[in-house]
Structure formats: structure tokens, C-alpha cells
């Protein structure tokens, strides 16, 4: 029986990679503003380990604004093909500029230009305006590497709780909850 939540996550994630039709790293990210009003959207997992679960986005987006006001988040993976979910909750910190820069540099040029062209979460007059901005960025960075926009970066959810849920017959589902206690993890079960 695995008692390290990160090892268990790795095992489940490897299985999800083999069975999910697409995006096994897709996760729902829940944030809330200073007043406690919640919102949730999907993002892609781009790195994980004991130090946390990393995704990348625009700092000036709705989620970026909420994380600035209230740097806490919850993540949810639902792997339908496995009938499993993983819930992660904790504080959020920004990844270093070096790490964000390295990841940005690994993305396709189209995605890099898209990050410059998109004022993520702000109103857009028309699709044409967006496409024109994209073309403008193509011209702006023609013949050179596309640098990481200063408003684009990575966030790490540092888990305080990780729960592994798996489907069992007769709705007797299994819930294994790991709670951080200093540097160690305490494991327990929850009623389904
Ligand atoms: C499967 C999937 C993966 C996504 N991955 C990301 C991502 O990694 N980063 C991101 O900024 N938006 C991603 N999006 C778009 C977000 O769901 C969302 O539309 C966008 O980030 C704006 O959210 P906000 O207005 O709450 O900030 C993804 C959407 C889907 C459906």
C-alpha cells in the first residue's frame, strides 16, 4: 500500500496517461476573490512533485487577479476512464521567472505569440481584432525569439490536503485523504 501521496499521484497519473482519450493533465482550478466569491476553470498541469502542482497562465486574467487577492486554490482531476478523482488544496505561489521562462521557451512559437496577443479574460470586440493582434505580434517578433511576456507566468499549488477518490461497487467508494503535518503526511479515510 502506497503511503506517499506523490508516489500515489504518479501512479494514478501514469494510468490516466494510458487510458484518457486526451489531456490527462487537465485539471479544474478553483479560486476565490477577497470577498470569497468562487470561480473555476480548467488548466493544464505542467509540473508536479512534493513542492507542488504547477500551471501557467496570464497574471492579468480573472484567475490571476483572484490569486493576487487570495493566494489559495483547489485543483481537481477527474479521470473518467478510471472512474477516479484527485482533489488538491493549498496555498499558491508564483514559480520563479527562470522556471517560467524555460517553460515558455519550450512552447510552440504559435502559443508564444498567442500569449502576447491575448488579453486573457478581458472583453474582446470581435474575433477579427484578436487575429489582427496575433498578426501584429508575428511581425513584431519576426526573425527573433519570442520572449516571455512579463504578465505571463506559472503558479504552484503547494498542497495541504490531497484526496484520492476511487469508484467502488455499490457506491462504497474509497476516499484516501492525505493531510500535511509539517514535513510529513498523515493518511486517513473518509466516508464516501
Ligand atoms: C482542457 C483545458 C485546458 C486549459 N488549460 C489552460 C492553461 O493551462 N492555462 C490557461 O491560462 N488557460 C487554460 N485553459 C483556458 C481556461 O479554462 C480559461 O478559459 C482561461 O484561463 C481564462 O480563465 P479566467 O478568466 O478564469 O482567468 C484551458 C481550458 C481547457 C478546456
Amino acid at each position: 500500500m502506497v503511503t506517499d501521496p506523490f508516489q500515489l499521484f504518479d501512479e494514478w497519473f501514469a494510468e490516466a496517461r494510458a487510458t484518457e482519450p486526451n489531456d490527462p493533465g487537465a485539471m479544474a482550478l478553483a479560486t476565490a476573490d477577497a470577498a470569497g466569491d468562487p470561480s473555476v476553470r480548467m488548466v493544464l498541469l505542467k509540473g508536479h512533485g512534493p513542492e507542488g502542482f504547477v500551471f501557467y497562465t496570464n497574471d492579468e486574467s480573472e484567475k490571476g487577479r483572484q490569486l493576487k487577492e487570495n493566494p489559495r486554490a483547489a485543483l481537481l482531476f477527474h479521470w473518467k476512464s478510471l472512474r477516479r478523482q484527485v482533489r488538491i488544496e493549498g496555498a499558491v505561489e508564483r514559480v520563479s521567472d527562470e522556471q517560467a521562462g524555460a517553460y515558455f521557451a519550450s512552447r510552440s512559437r504559435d502559443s508564444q505569440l498567442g500569449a502576447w496577443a491575448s488579453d486573457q479574460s478581458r472583453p474582446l470586440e470581435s474575433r477579427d481584432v484578436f487575429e489582427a493582434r496575433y498578426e501584429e505580434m508575428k511581425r513584431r517578433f519576426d526573425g527573433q525569439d519570442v520572449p516571455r511576456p512579463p504578465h505571463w507566468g506559472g503558479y504552484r499549488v503547494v498542497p495541504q490536503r490531497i484526496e484520492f477518490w476511487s469508484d467502488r461497487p455499490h457506491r462504497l467508494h474509497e476516499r484516501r485523504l492525505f493531510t500535511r503535518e509539517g514535513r510529513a503526511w498523515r493518511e486517513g479515510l473518509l466516508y464516501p
Side-chain angles (χ1 to χ4, degrees):
M1 182 103 153
V2 183
T3 52
D4 171 357
F6 299 102
Q7 195 185 331
L8 184 56
F9 183 87
D10 283 345
E11 286 175 14
W12 280 27
F13 193 35
E15 286 179 59
R17 270 200 280 254
T19 59
E20 285 291 293
N22 56 47
D23 291 344
M27 55 188 184
L29 163 73
T31 54
D33 63 16
D37 284 333
S39 65
V40 63
R41 80 292 286 158
M42 302 303 290
V43 292
L44 291 176
L45 179 70
K46 291 295 173 184
H48 70 279
E51 65 294 334
F53 293 78
V54 174
F55 62 90
Y56 290 90
T57 194
N58 186 316
D59 301 318
E60 295 163 2
S61 65
E62 179 71 5
K63 74 183 92 48
R65 190 182 62 74
Q66 294 195 342
L67 287 169
K68 204 169 184 182
E69 287 181 14
N70 178 13
R72 301 192 62 74
L75 299 172
L76 173 73
F77 294 87
H78 179 206
W79 293 308
K80 290 189 179 189
S81 59
L82 298 172
R83 298 179 184 276
R84 285 176 178 167
Q85 72 174 341
V86 178
R87 298 170 60 169
I88 297 165
E89 294 164 14
V92 177
E93 51 190 42
R94 213 163 178 281
V95 309
S96 68
D97 285 348
E98 293 69 42
Q99 190 177 337
Y103 173 66
F104 189 80
S106 78
R107 300 178 91 204
S108 70
R109 192 173 177 88
D110 285 349
S111 321
Q112 292 174 337
L113 293 168
W116 278 98
S118 174
D119 274 343
Q120 195 178 55
S121 312
R122 277 143 294 174
L124 170 62
E125 264 164 65
S126 70
R127 187 82 201 165
D128 289 348
V129 170
F130 185 35
E131 282 169 14
R133 279 176 61 116
Y134 183 80
E135 292 303 319
E136 186 190 321
M137 294 303 157
K138 249 184 177 164
R139 287 192 295 275
R140 176 167 162 192
F141 295 111
D142 189 32
Q144 48 170 297
D145 286 344
V146 182
R148 176 179 64 88
H151 56 264
W152 187 96
Y155 293 82
R156 185 184 300 108
V157 180
V158 182
Q160 196 62 38
R161 282 165 67 96
I162 309 181
E163 185 204 310
F164 295 84
W165 184 102
S166 44
D167 183 77
R168 290 292 174 86
H170 317 299
R171 310 237 165 232
L172 303 181
H173 310 307
E174 183 183 75
R175 298 180 67 187
R176 292 173 69 182
L177 175 66
F178 293 82
T179 317
R180 192 193 285 274
E181 278 187 353
R183 296 170 68 86
W185 288 88
R186 183 160 53 96
E187 182 178 356
L189 297 175
L190 297 173
Y191 279 103

